[in-house]
Amino acid sequence: MKSTTVILLGLLVGFSSIKPVEATSVAATRAIVTQTDTAKHPNSSFTIAQFSRPNSGLYGLWQLTYSVDGLLYESRLYMNGYSGIMRTRYFDPRINQTQVVDQTMRLRSSSQGLVLLGYNPVYAGTNIPHPTYSADNFLFQIRPNGSLVVVTCDRDRRCSNVDMQKLR
């Protein structure tokens, strides 16, 4: 319990000192955050990590910014313990306009750090599934040197570093 509290406090205080992730971490993250939650999908034949419920939840409103293939994604994440919602805005070049997507987020713990798993991407403000948006997943790690690393990989294994700021 104490170590999880320290990790969460580090996340809350340490966002101003986010460092770029090393290439080896992206590979490890890609393997972890693209894994389905084994509790939800027990027949998965591709198991990298087991996810469990963390001892403490995450609370507040956060701004997350990341890029995939040159497209900037801006997300607002609201967490209330072990679950939350995230709204993401991005430009979709296939239709030449801005898209806005909502998804459910669940906080899990893994051997590599805290993992935030995205589920059910829908058009913002509706229950209509978005046909092309791949759910987002995030990995939060506090390294032995005290630096915080935040990376994202979606279910299509597209990864990026993440800039994160607490709004409230």
Side-chain angles (χ1 to χ4, degrees):
M1 175 81 164
K2 187 176 182 180
S3 65
T4 302
T5 303
V6 170
I7 288 172
L8 289 174
L9 285 174
L11 285 173
L12 295 175
V13 193
F15 286 137
S16 61
S17 62
I18 294 175
K19 306 284 189 244
V21 67
E22 299 164 7
T24 55
S25 294
V26 171
T29 303
R30 184 177 289 128
I32 290 169
V33 298
T34 58
Q35 164 61 28
T36 56
D37 189 335
T38 54
K40 187 169 179 77
H41 303 283
N43 297 327
S44 173
S45 61
F46 181 71
T47 300
I48 297 296
Q50 295 291 321
F51 297 119
S52 60
R53 184 177 170 123
N55 293 325
S56 299
L58 185 61
Y59 298 87
L61 180 64
W62 311 87
Q63 174 76 32
L64 291 80
T65 306
Y66 45 100
S67 172
V68 175
D69 296 331
L71 299 174
L72 189 67
Y73 291 74
E74 296 176 335
S75 299
R76 292 236 171 159
L77 169 67
Y78 174 74
M79 289 297 296
N80 188 20
Y82 305 100
S83 64
I85 56 171
M86 187 170 79
R87 176 165 284 181
T88 301
R89 292 175 38 93
Y90 68 100
F91 182 78
D92 188 339
R94 291 177 294 204
I95 60 173
N96 202 31
Q97 67 183 28
T98 299
Q99 294 274 346
V100 184
V101 175
D102 291 340
Q103 59 190 305
T104 301
M105 306 303 288
R106 294 190 186 124
L107 185 65
R108 297 289 185 258
S109 182
S110 80
S111 62
Q112 297 296 311
L114 291 176
V115 178
L116 194 58
L117 299 168
Y119 294 90
N120 191 31
V122 297
Y123 288 103
T126 75
N127 290 322
I128 302 169
H130 194 287
T132 60
Y133 195 88
S134 185
D136 295 303
N137 302 290
F138 298 88
L139 175 68
F140 305 93
Q141 294 178 326
I142 297 179
R143 297 292 178 91
N145 66 5
S147 65
L148 176 68
V149 174
V150 182
V151 293
T152 183
C153 287
D154 65 21
R155 299 270 165 94
D156 289 334
R157 298 181 182 228
R158 296 175 300 182
C159 300
S160 173
N161 297 333
V162 177
D163 291 331
M164 192 164 182
Q165 176 184 10
K166 183 162 183 156
L167 300 176
R168 57 182 165 109

